[in-house]
């Protein structure tokens, strides 16, 4: 079953969409693991209503300095950073509760967060995410949703390599459209499925955004209207309620199921 990377510009609604898809899959009785690969933002656990585990995956692997050293050794020996941090395949059942917290059939884990000034770039987080996703084997009815940092750096870091598909969240802005074109090219280069979900659209802007994307040959899988309930729940630091979205999610999940 699918491992899907959710991509998009900052504030487009990636974490919101990941949360709503995860909650819907959970209600459908599917098992879903949400992987937070955004090294900066901290609010995904709150949106999901799942407390982050004691450790990030990076901590579980010994911490960033140790992982960075393994990557540097790889670069020196092989000339690339394709480090094997997980020598064996793993299943959802194998994942340690030290870095995954479950709420019934929905799990939440974080790859790693920037913790200190001058700690260096977030490239090791990308290497960890890529290798983890590559080695994670899913059964029928199991899903993985990967929330990402803003922009397209996760393509450069190869995170998409470990996934089956990319869903781009597009809010009504020219920057979002330009980024979508770029992401579509990069996804094709990586040989993965690509689709777009429009977010924060109203009845007037939705057709305009559809027209602009259609002119670029971009396939739209679904949309989420602007919802003041979602915006206010988030602003108050509460977990989101998928029931406030009126069934759009069931439809969307059908369309993004590979
Ligand atoms: N459909 C929507 N309607 C209203 N507000 C939304 C919607 N989707 C996202 N938001 C709001 O937009 C902001 C950014 O959303 P978020 O999911 O954190 O974006 P990202 O993860 O892409 O940075 C948040 O305040 C969120 O509540
Ligand atoms: Mg986010």
């Amino acid at each position: 079953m699918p491992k899907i990377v959710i991509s998009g510009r900052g504030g487009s609604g990636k974490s919101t969409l990941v949360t709503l898809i995860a909650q819907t899959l959970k209600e459908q009785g599917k098992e879903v693991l949400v992987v937070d690969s955004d090294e900066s933002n901290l609010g995904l656990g709150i949106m999901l209503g799942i407390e982050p585990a004691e450790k990030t995956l990076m901590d579980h692997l010994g911490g960033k300095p140790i992982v960075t050293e393994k990557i540097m050794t790889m670069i020196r020996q092989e000339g690339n950073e394709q480090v094997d941090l997980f020598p064996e395949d793993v299943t959802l059942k194998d994942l340690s509760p030290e870095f995954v917290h479950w709420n019934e059939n929905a799990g939440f884990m974080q790859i790693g967060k920037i913790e200190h000034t001058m700690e260096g770039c977030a490239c090791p987080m990308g290497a960890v995410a890529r290798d983890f996703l590559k080695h994670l084997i899913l059964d029928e009815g199991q899903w993985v949703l990967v929330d990402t940092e803003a922009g397209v750096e996760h393509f450069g870091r190869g995170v998409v390599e470990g996934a089956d598909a990319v869903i781009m969240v597009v809010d009504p802005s020219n920057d979002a459209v330009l980024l979508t074109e770029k992401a579509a090219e990069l996804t094709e280069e990586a040989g993965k499925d690509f689709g777009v979900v429009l977010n924060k659209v109203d009845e007037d802007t939705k057709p305009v955004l559809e027209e602009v994307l259609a002119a670029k040959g971009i396939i739209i899988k679904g949309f989420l209207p602007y919802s003041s309930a979602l915006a206010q729940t988030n602003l108050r630091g509460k977990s989101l309620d998928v029931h406030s979205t009126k069934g759009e999610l069931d439809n969307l999940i059908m369309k993004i199921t590979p």
Side-chain angles (χ1 to χ4, degrees):
M1 284 308 277
K3 295 178 214 163
I4 298 182
V5 169
I6 312 292
S7 193
R9 73 180 193 130
S12 57
K14 298 176 291 298
S15 302
T16 301
L17 196 78
V18 163
T19 299
L20 297 175
I21 296 175
Q23 289 177 342
T24 308
L25 289 168
K26 178 172 174 252
E27 290 202 347
Q28 291 177 353
K30 310 264 170 38
E31 225 174 328
V32 54
L33 175 67
V34 173
V35 179
D36 182 3
S37 76
D38 182 339
E39 64 278 352
S40 302
N41 290 313
L42 301 169
L44 182 57
I46 294 172
M47 282 193 197
L48 279 166
I50 307 179
E51 181 92 4
E54 181 196 341
K55 291 190 173 183
T56 64
L57 180 55
M58 182 68 81
D59 296 333
H60 178 78
L61 293 171
K64 198 174 169 200
I66 287 176
V67 170
T68 305
E69 190 43 45
K70 285 185 182 164
I71 296 170
M72 294 310 290
T73 305
M74 194 68 187
I75 291 172
R76 281 192 294 268
Q77 287 173 358
E78 306 286 336
N80 67 54
E81 42 181 276
Q82 307 282 322
V83 66
D84 240 350
L85 297 163
F86 299 86
E88 288 176 11
D89 288 345
V90 287
T91 67
L92 290 186
K93 276 200 301 293
D94 302 327
L95 303 179
S96 162
E98 192 177 65
F99 69 91
V100 187
H101 262 180
W102 289 91
N103 173 4
E104 298 168 15
N105 44 339
F108 174 52
M109 59 175 280
Q110 299 173 314
I111 297 294
K113 297 287 173 189
I114 300 286
E115 312 275 3
H116 306 287
T117 55
M118 302 295 289
E119 71 164 56
C121 78
C123 311
M125 277 72 150
V128 168
R130 178 186 60 216
D131 203 45
F132 173 69
L133 290 172
K134 268 172 63 181
H135 285 93
L136 182 61
I137 306 298
L138 300 181
D139 282 339
E140 199 62 31
Q142 294 182 329
W143 285 60
V144 169
L145 301 172
V146 186
D147 192 16
T148 58
E149 80 292 337
V152 287
E153 195 164 348
H154 39 281
F155 287 92
R157 292 186 199 152
V159 175
V160 169
E161 220 184 279
D164 309 303
V166 175
I167 293 292
M168 190 79 181
V169 186
V170 186
D171 62 321
S173 70
N174 184 47
D175 259 351
V177 171
L178 296 175
L179 193 67
T180 301
E181 255 189 307
K182 179 86 202 168
E185 280 169 29
L186 294 171
T187 308
E188 194 178 351
E189 200 179 297
K192 310 289 176 177
D193 281 352
F194 183 75
V196 157
V197 175
L198 312 184
N199 190 23
K200 303 194 208 183
V201 284
D202 59 32
E203 281 178 15
D204 297 326
T205 50
K206 184 168 167 265
V208 181
L209 188 52
E210 283 170 342
E211 182 193 318
V212 172
L213 290 170
K216 293 176 185 296
I218 288 168
I219 299 160
I220 299 169
K221 300 264 184 181
F223 76 100
L224 204 58
Y226 181 84
S227 151
S228 52
L230 277 180
Q232 287 174 34
T233 306
N234 174 261
L235 187 55
R236 292 190 188 281
K238 294 189 177 149
S239 49
L240 303 185
D241 177 10
V242 72
H243 302 108
S244 68
T245 59
K246 304 194 201 92
E248 281 107 358
L249 269 295
D250 288 319
N251 222 337
L252 182 65
I253 287 169
M254 261 171 13
K255 296 228 175 96
I256 65 173
T257 303

Short mmCIF file of all heavy atoms in Angstrom, two decimals, residues 106-132:
data_model
loop_
_atom_site.label_atom_id
_atom_site.label_comp_id
_atom_site.label_asym_id
_atom_site.label_seq_id
_atom_site.Cartn_x
_atom_site.Cartn_y
_atom_site.Cartn_z
N ALA A 106 -3.54 4.86 14.16
CA ALA A 106 -2.78 5.96 13.55
C ALA A 106 -1.50 6.20 14.35
O ALA A 106 -1.54 6.37 15.57
CB ALA A 106 -3.61 7.23 13.52
N GLY A 107 -0.37 6.18 13.66
CA GLY A 107 0.92 6.39 14.31
C GLY A 107 1.54 7.71 13.90
O GLY A 107 1.23 8.24 12.82
N PHE A 108 2.42 8.22 14.74
CA PHE A 108 3.08 9.50 14.45
C PHE A 108 4.53 9.40 14.86
O PHE A 108 4.85 8.95 15.97
CB PHE A 108 2.37 10.61 15.24
CG PHE A 108 3.05 11.95 15.14
CD1 PHE A 108 3.37 12.51 13.90
CD2 PHE A 108 3.39 12.68 16.29
CE1 PHE A 108 3.99 13.75 13.81
CE2 PHE A 108 4.00 13.91 16.20
CZ PHE A 108 4.31 14.44 14.96
N MET A 109 5.42 9.81 13.96
CA MET A 109 6.85 9.85 14.29
C MET A 109 7.50 11.06 13.63
O MET A 109 7.00 11.58 12.63
CB MET A 109 7.55 8.57 13.83
CG MET A 109 7.42 8.32 12.34
SD MET A 109 8.35 6.89 11.78
CE MET A 109 10.00 7.61 11.68
N GLN A 110 8.61 11.50 14.23
CA GLN A 110 9.35 12.64 13.68
C GLN A 110 10.73 12.15 13.25
O GLN A 110 11.38 11.40 13.98
CB GLN A 110 9.51 13.71 14.75
CG GLN A 110 8.18 14.26 15.26
CD GLN A 110 8.37 15.20 16.44
OE1 GLN A 110 9.12 14.92 17.38
NE2 GLN A 110 7.68 16.33 16.41
N ILE A 111 11.19 12.62 12.08
CA ILE A 111 12.53 12.24 11.62
C ILE A 111 13.59 12.93 12.48
O ILE A 111 14.54 12.30 12.94
CB ILE A 111 12.73 12.61 10.13
CG1 ILE A 111 11.75 11.84 9.24
CG2 ILE A 111 14.17 12.38 9.70
CD1 ILE A 111 11.95 10.34 9.19
N GLY A 112 13.46 14.22 12.69
CA GLY A 112 14.44 14.96 13.49
C GLY A 112 14.15 16.43 13.39
O GLY A 112 13.57 16.88 12.39
N LYS A 113 14.51 17.18 14.42
CA LYS A 113 14.25 18.63 14.41
C LYS A 113 15.56 19.37 14.61
O LYS A 113 16.49 18.84 15.23
CB LYS A 113 13.28 18.99 15.54
CG LYS A 113 11.89 18.36 15.42
CD LYS A 113 11.05 18.98 14.31
CE LYS A 113 9.75 18.22 14.10
NZ LYS A 113 9.00 18.65 12.92
N ILE A 114 15.62 20.60 14.10
CA ILE A 114 16.77 21.46 14.39
C ILE A 114 16.68 21.84 15.87
O ILE A 114 15.67 22.41 16.31
CB ILE A 114 16.74 22.73 13.50
CG1 ILE A 114 16.78 22.38 12.01
CG2 ILE A 114 17.84 23.71 13.90
CD1 ILE A 114 18.11 21.91 11.48
N GLU A 115 17.72 21.49 16.65
CA GLU A 115 17.66 21.68 18.11
C GLU A 115 18.60 22.79 18.58
O GLU A 115 18.41 23.34 19.66
CB GLU A 115 18.07 20.39 18.84
CG GLU A 115 17.39 19.11 18.34
CD GLU A 115 16.04 18.86 18.99
OE1 GLU A 115 15.60 19.71 19.78
OE2 GLU A 115 15.42 17.82 18.67
N HIS A 116 19.69 23.05 17.82
CA HIS A 116 20.71 23.98 18.33
C HIS A 116 21.13 24.97 17.24
O HIS A 116 21.11 24.62 16.06
CB HIS A 116 21.96 23.20 18.77
CG HIS A 116 21.66 22.12 19.76
ND1 HIS A 116 21.34 22.37 21.07
CD2 HIS A 116 21.61 20.77 19.61
CE1 HIS A 116 21.11 21.22 21.68
NE2 HIS A 116 21.25 20.24 20.82
N THR A 117 21.58 26.15 17.67
CA THR A 117 22.16 27.08 16.70
C THR A 117 23.47 26.47 16.19
O THR A 117 24.12 25.70 16.91
CB THR A 117 22.49 28.45 17.36
OG1 THR A 117 23.33 28.21 18.48
CG2 THR A 117 21.24 29.18 17.78
N MET A 118 23.81 26.76 14.98
CA MET A 118 25.07 26.31 14.37
C MET A 118 25.19 24.78 14.30
O MET A 118 26.30 24.25 14.23
CB MET A 118 26.30 26.85 15.15
CG MET A 118 26.38 28.35 15.27
SD MET A 118 26.61 29.15 13.67
CE MET A 118 28.29 28.67 13.32
N GLU A 119 24.08 24.05 14.33
CA GLU A 119 24.22 22.58 14.30
C GLU A 119 24.47 22.04 12.89
O GLU A 119 24.69 20.84 12.71
CB GLU A 119 23.01 21.89 14.94
CG GLU A 119 21.73 21.97 14.11
CD GLU A 119 20.67 20.96 14.57
OE1 GLU A 119 20.31 20.99 15.76
OE2 GLU A 119 20.23 20.16 13.73
N GLY A 120 24.42 22.92 11.91
CA GLY A 120 24.67 22.47 10.53
C GLY A 120 23.37 22.23 9.80
O GLY A 120 22.29 22.39 10.36
N CYS A 121 23.50 21.82 8.53
CA CYS A 121 22.31 21.74 7.67
C CYS A 121 21.44 20.54 8.04
O CYS A 121 21.82 19.69 8.83
CB CYS A 121 22.72 21.67 6.21
SG CYS A 121 23.28 20.05 5.72
N ALA A 122 20.27 20.50 7.40
CA ALA A 122 19.31 19.43 7.71
C ALA A 122 19.48 18.22 6.78
O ALA A 122 18.64 17.33 6.80
CB ALA A 122 17.89 19.99 7.61
N CYS A 123 20.60 18.19 6.01
CA CYS A 123 20.79 17.07 5.07
C CYS A 123 20.71 15.70 5.75
O CYS A 123 20.11 14.77 5.18
CB CYS A 123 22.12 17.18 4.34
SG CYS A 123 22.38 18.80 3.66
N PRO A 124 21.30 15.52 6.96
CA PRO A 124 21.20 14.20 7.59
C PRO A 124 19.75 13.76 7.82
O PRO A 124 19.43 12.57 7.73
CB PRO A 124 21.94 14.37 8.92
CG PRO A 124 22.86 15.51 8.69
CD PRO A 124 22.15 16.43 7.75
N MET A 125 18.84 14.71 8.09
CA MET A 125 17.42 14.36 8.26
C MET A 125 16.90 13.75 6.95
O MET A 125 16.15 12.79 6.97
CB MET A 125 16.57 15.59 8.59
CG MET A 125 16.55 15.99 10.04
SD MET A 125 18.08 16.71 10.58
CE MET A 125 17.58 17.83 11.84
N GLY A 126 17.32 14.35 5.83
CA GLY A 126 16.88 13.84 4.52
C GLY A 126 17.37 12.42 4.30
O GLY A 126 16.62 11.55 3.82
N ALA A 127 18.64 12.17 4.66
CA ALA A 127 19.21 10.83 4.47
C ALA A 127 18.47 9.81 5.33
O ALA A 127 18.18 8.69 4.88
CB ALA A 127 20.70 10.85 4.82
N VAL A 128 18.14 10.18 6.56
CA VAL A 128 17.42 9.28 7.47
C VAL A 128 16.02 8.98 6.90
O VAL A 128 15.59 7.83 6.84
CB VAL A 128 17.31 9.89 8.89
CG1 VAL A 128 16.32 9.13 9.75
CG2 VAL A 128 18.67 9.92 9.56
N ALA A 129 15.33 10.03 6.46
CA ALA A 129 13.97 9.84 5.92
C ALA A 129 14.00 8.94 4.69
O ALA A 129 13.19 8.02 4.56
CB ALA A 129 13.36 11.20 5.58
N ARG A 130 14.94 9.20 3.81
CA ARG A 130 15.02 8.42 2.56
C ARG A 130 15.26 6.94 2.87
O ARG A 130 14.57 6.05 2.36
CB ARG A 130 16.16 8.96 1.69
CG ARG A 130 16.35 8.18 0.40
CD ARG A 130 17.57 8.66 -0.37
NE ARG A 130 18.77 8.50 0.42
CZ ARG A 130 19.80 9.35 0.42
NH1 ARG A 130 19.77 10.43 -0.31
NH2 ARG A 130 20.85 9.12 1.17
N ASP A 131 16.27 6.68 3.72
CA ASP A 131 16.62 5.28 3.98
C ASP A 131 15.51 4.56 4.76
O ASP A 131 15.23 3.39 4.50
CB ASP A 131 17.96 5.23 4.74
CG ASP A 131 18.63 3.89 4.54
OD1 ASP A 131 18.68 3.42 3.39
OD2 ASP A 131 19.07 3.29 5.53
N PHE A 132 14.88 5.28 5.68
CA PHE A 132 13.77 4.69 6.45
C PHE A 132 12.63 4.29 5.51
O PHE A 132 12.12 3.17 5.55
CB PHE A 132 13.29 5.69 7.50
CG PHE A 132 12.04 5.26 8.23
CD1 PHE A 132 12.07 4.19 9.11
CD2 PHE A 132 10.84 5.92 8.02
CE1 PHE A 132 10.92 3.78 9.77
CE2 PHE A 132 9.69 5.51 8.67
CZ PHE A 132 9.73 4.44 9.55
#
